[in-house]
Amino acid sequence: MSPTLPRTSVLFNVVDFNDGGIESSLIQWLRILDRSQFDITLSVMFASPAFVSRFRALIPQDVKVEILVDRPWLNHFQSRRYARKLSKLGRIGRDVFNTLAVRPYVRKRIAALAKHHDVIVDFDMSLRRWASQFNIAWLGINHFSFDARLGNRPRKARRLALQYARYDAVVALNQHMADEANAMFGDGLRQLVVLPNAIDIDAINASASAPNAHTAPVTAPYIVSVARLDEIQKDHRTLLRAYAKMVEHHDVAEDLVIVGNGAFRQELEGLAAELKIARRVHFVGHQDNPHALIAHARALVLSSRYEGMPMVLLEALAHGKPIVATDCPTGPREILDDGRAGILVPIGEADTMADALMRIVADAALRDAMTASALARAQHYGIEQSNRRFAACVAAILAARRAAHKTTMQASV
């Protein structure tokens, strides 16, 4: 019998848990990683209300969880922020307090944890000031389009370039994002790795029938959008205009269900009324488990101006949903396999989006073909291939560190 190889000890880190795609993708990684290869710890800087009430229960029981800011007095400002009671003056006080008290405390906690791990996966790059420290391999994961976030902010891009250069490797979620990083940072990064988000396909499908799954508020068939109500990025205005054109020019049976909360909800509800579609557009707010809504929809639509690698598209593939998505930077084109697993439309073009959605709702054969393509494409992001990619990434950065250490030792002799 061959000896059992020691597992690689991996520390994932994130600031906190709210209701974004980063949190969803992190939970998926914690679930799917091969326990025969990896021993996993999760460090969370702040125990947010969402973490306590929802996400803590979603973390696998074998994952060790460390709350970094574990002293009540260190949580004063962050608690007020979660309660939305932090004034402008309070935000200034928080920044000063974090610099003088919270950050040094967190650094000590990370330093202590690093002694018992092989790799830190800085999942939101919130520890980038300390990357390369503590004699441990560092992997920093970027979730957004570099161009969209930094293209018009050269000073911030230069500052981040210096911090990103400290990681053993920076992860881009897709090739488009990696191309942006290469153009922006050149050879400044030690290593750039493409590592897509992962999904547990069986668990996603099981979630659609879980007791907490939210079902549609209508008996009619429907199209669904699942995205934060943030018009700077998500562009529901174009979606509403596209749906209004469908209703105006065709006999459309499908309603539109919009899942998500945000500062623009009132404006979007007003636009739906102005377009005379308010009766058929259902704003259902944020849902902890929207999978039943996705699974039973006629189609899913994503209208974003830019993305990172949207988890909702991966989850829609797992459900076998026909998808219409804007061809925005950076995720949809790669996720939908250059349009073979869904329909890509230009950003902000309501007419084209309406035409694409009409093709789907009017053609059952097309929907069946798109379902088959979606399910096949989902396998690319499933457990087996995701574990292979993650294991190769970690092995590469550990091998590079060993080689660098060997070179240093030889040079010192």
Side-chain angles (χ1 to χ4, degrees):
M1 180 181 295
S2 60
T4 301
L5 294 174
R7 294 189 296 171
T8 301
S9 185
V10 181
L11 174 64
F12 283 83
N13 179 80
V14 70
V15 167
D16 62 3
F17 282 76
N18 292 298
D19 294 313
I22 291 177
E23 293 86 344
S24 298
S25 62
L26 176 53
I27 291 293
Q28 291 292 319
W29 277 115
L30 296 179
R31 285 177 169 175
I32 67 97
L33 281 178
D34 183 357
R35 299 312 200 257
S36 70
Q37 296 186 69
F38 301 106
D39 180 59
I40 305 168
T41 301
L42 171 66
S43 63
V44 181
M45 193 173 300
F46 298 104
S48 66
F51 176 81
V52 173
S53 66
R54 180 159 65 96
F55 284 103
R56 185 63 183 88
L58 300 178
I59 296 169
Q61 292 186 358
D62 66 334
V63 173
K64 298 176 285 294
V65 178
E66 297 281 348
I67 305 301
L68 298 180
V69 182
D70 57 355
R71 298 290 187 268
W73 65 276
L74 286 171
N75 269 299
H76 171 75
F77 286 101
Q78 193 68 18
S79 297
R80 291 187 65 82
R81 176 177 174 267
Y82 290 137
R84 303 192 180 203
K85 295 180 179 179
L86 200 60
S87 65
K88 184 175 180 179
L89 185 60
R91 289 194 293 272
I92 296 172
R94 174 201 61 188
D95 293 344
V96 173
F97 184 73
N98 284 349
T99 300
L100 297 178
V102 176
R103 196 177 295 167
Y105 185 83
V106 168
R107 186 185 184 281
K108 290 180 181 178
R109 295 292 315 279
I110 291 293
L113 288 169
K115 294 177 181 178
H116 306 287
H117 294 84
D118 301 306
V119 183
I120 292 177
V121 179
D122 191 3
F123 206 74
D124 55 2
M125 303 184 90
S126 56
L127 303 179
R128 59 186 179 271
R129 295 177 181 86
W130 308 316
S132 80
Q133 297 183 24
F134 314 133
N135 194 30
I136 189 173
W138 285 77
L139 186 65
I141 300 186
N142 175 74
H143 294 267
F144 305 103
S145 163
F146 288 102
D147 284 350
R149 289 296 179 96
L150 300 173
N152 296 319
R153 307 174 72 182
R155 290 180 61 185
K156 183 173 183 179
R158 287 193 295 271
R159 184 174 73 253
L160 289 179
L162 296 174
Q163 295 174 336
Y164 290 177
R166 300 169 186 164
Y167 290 97
D168 292 79
V170 169
V171 165
L173 301 185
N174 51 59
Q175 189 58 50
H176 187 162
M177 194 184 291
D179 292 342
E180 291 181 347
N182 276 321
M184 186 170 291
F185 305 123
D187 297 328
L189 304 179
R190 296 189 197 179
Q191 188 176 352
L192 181 64
V193 179
V194 175
L195 182 65
N197 286 334
I199 51 173
D200 182 338
I201 296 170
D202 291 339
I204 287 170
N205 281 287
S207 295
S209 56
N212 68 334
H214 189 84
T215 54
V218 293
T219 56
Y222 61 92
I223 298 162
V224 68
S225 166
V226 183
R228 184 178 64 257
L229 302 185
D230 170 11
E231 291 310 282
I232 297 170
Q233 179 183 358
K234 301 299 185 179
D235 194 16
H236 292 85
R237 296 171 186 141
T238 293
L239 171 57
L240 290 174
R241 292 188 176 102
Y243 181 71
K245 290 177 182 294
M246 293 172 64
V247 171
E248 180 181 359
H249 297 295
H250 303 277
D251 183 14
V252 178
E254 288 77 11
D255 281 4
L256 176 62
V257 174
I258 295 179
V259 184
N261 274 332
F264 289 84
R265 176 165 179 165
Q266 186 174 358
E267 176 193 324
L268 293 170
E269 289 176 334
L271 179 58
E274 179 185 327
L275 294 169
K276 298 181 172 56
I277 54 173
R279 182 178 59 84
R280 304 191 58 176
V281 178
H282 309 274
F283 291 86
V284 300
H286 169 79
Q287 301 300 325
D288 290 345
N289 180 1
H291 289 289
L293 283 166
I294 298 172
H296 298 295
R298 193 80 89 194
L300 179 134
V301 58
L302 182 74
S303 54
S304 300
R305 297 183 180 279
Y306 65 90
E307 280 290 347
M309 190 175 187
M311 286 298 294
V312 67
L313 292 190
L314 301 183
E315 293 162 352
L317 292 177
H319 287 301
K321 284 298 101 182
I323 296 168
V324 172
T326 49
D327 191 10
C328 67
T330 55
R333 176 166 288 276
E334 185 165 318
I335 291 173
L336 300 183
D337 197 19
D338 287 328
R340 288 181 283 271
I343 300 176
L344 294 164
V345 298
I347 300 168
E349 292 193 12
D351 288 338
T352 312
M353 184 178 290
D355 290 344
L357 288 168
M358 276 308 307
R359 285 176 55 201
I360 291 173
V361 301
D363 189 339
L366 175 61
R367 292 198 300 274
D368 290 343
M370 292 183 73
T371 291
S373 297
L375 292 172
R377 182 59 176 168
Q379 297 300 320
H380 180 68
Y381 303 103
I383 291 175
E384 182 177 350
Q385 295 199 47
S386 295
N387 267 291
R388 176 180 54 78
R389 286 188 290 261
F390 185 84
C393 176
V394 169
I397 65 173
L398 291 176
R401 287 183 70 85
R402 287 193 295 270
H405 178 71
K406 183 178 179 180
T407 300
T408 301
M409 294 298 292
Q410 290 172 342
S412 65
V413 173

CSV table of all heavy atoms in Angstrom, one decimal, residues 268-278:
chain,number,residue,atom,x,y,z
A,268,LEU,N,-36.4,52.0,-10.6
A,268,LEU,CA,-36.8,51.0,-11.5
A,268,LEU,C,-38.3,50.7,-11.5
A,268,LEU,O,-38.9,50.4,-12.6
A,268,LEU,CB,-35.9,49.7,-11.3
A,268,LEU,CG,-34.4,49.9,-11.5
A,268,LEU,CD1,-33.7,48.7,-11.0
A,268,LEU,CD2,-34.2,50.1,-13.0
A,269,GLU,N,-38.8,50.7,-10.3
A,269,GLU,CA,-40.3,50.5,-10.3
A,269,GLU,C,-41.0,51.6,-11.0
A,269,GLU,O,-42.0,51.4,-11.7
A,269,GLU,CB,-40.7,50.4,-8.8
A,269,GLU,CG,-40.3,49.1,-8.1
A,269,GLU,CD,-40.6,49.0,-6.7
A,269,GLU,OE1,-40.7,50.1,-6.0
A,269,GLU,OE2,-40.8,47.9,-6.1
A,270,GLY,N,-40.5,52.8,-10.8
A,270,GLY,CA,-41.1,54.0,-11.5
A,270,GLY,C,-40.9,53.8,-13.0
A,270,GLY,O,-41.9,54.2,-13.8
A,271,LEU,N,-39.8,53.3,-13.5
A,271,LEU,CA,-39.6,53.1,-14.9
A,271,LEU,C,-40.6,52.1,-15.5
A,271,LEU,O,-41.1,52.2,-16.6
A,271,LEU,CB,-38.1,52.7,-15.2
A,271,LEU,CG,-37.8,52.5,-16.7
A,271,LEU,CD1,-38.1,53.7,-17.6
A,271,LEU,CD2,-36.3,52.0,-16.8
A,272,ALA,N,-40.8,51.0,-14.7
A,272,ALA,CA,-41.7,50.0,-15.1
A,272,ALA,C,-43.1,50.6,-15.3
A,272,ALA,O,-43.8,50.3,-16.2
A,272,ALA,CB,-41.7,48.8,-14.1
A,273,ALA,N,-43.5,51.4,-14.3
A,273,ALA,CA,-44.8,52.1,-14.4
A,273,ALA,C,-44.9,53.0,-15.7
A,273,ALA,O,-45.9,53.0,-16.4
A,273,ALA,CB,-45.1,52.9,-13.2
A,274,GLU,N,-43.8,53.8,-15.9
A,274,GLU,CA,-43.7,54.7,-17.0
A,274,GLU,C,-43.8,53.9,-18.3
A,274,GLU,O,-44.5,54.4,-19.3
A,274,GLU,CB,-42.4,55.4,-17.0
A,274,GLU,CG,-42.2,56.4,-18.1
A,274,GLU,CD,-40.8,57.0,-18.1
A,274,GLU,OE1,-40.3,57.3,-16.9
A,274,GLU,OE2,-40.2,57.3,-19.1
A,275,LEU,N,-43.3,52.7,-18.4
A,275,LEU,CA,-43.3,51.9,-19.6
A,275,LEU,C,-44.6,51.1,-19.7
A,275,LEU,O,-44.8,50.3,-20.7
A,275,LEU,CB,-42.1,51.0,-19.6
A,275,LEU,CG,-40.7,51.6,-19.8
A,275,LEU,CD1,-39.6,50.6,-19.5
A,275,LEU,CD2,-40.6,52.3,-21.1
A,276,LYS,N,-45.5,51.2,-18.7
A,276,LYS,CA,-46.8,50.5,-18.7
A,276,LYS,C,-46.6,49.0,-18.6
A,276,LYS,O,-47.4,48.3,-19.2
A,276,LYS,CB,-47.6,50.9,-19.9
A,276,LYS,CG,-47.9,52.4,-19.9
A,276,LYS,CD,-48.8,52.8,-21.1
A,276,LYS,CE,-49.3,54.2,-21.1
A,276,LYS,NZ,-48.2,55.2,-20.9
A,277,ILE,N,-45.6,48.6,-17.9
A,277,ILE,CA,-45.4,47.1,-17.7
A,277,ILE,C,-45.4,46.7,-16.2
A,277,ILE,O,-45.1,45.6,-15.9
A,277,ILE,CB,-44.1,46.6,-18.4
A,277,ILE,CG1,-42.9,47.5,-17.9
A,277,ILE,CG2,-44.2,46.7,-19.9
A,277,ILE,CD1,-41.6,46.9,-18.4
A,278,ALA,N,-45.7,47.7,-15.4
A,278,ALA,CA,-45.6,47.5,-13.9
A,278,ALA,C,-46.4,46.3,-13.5
A,278,ALA,O,-46.0,45.5,-12.6
A,278,ALA,CB,-46.1,48.7,-13.2
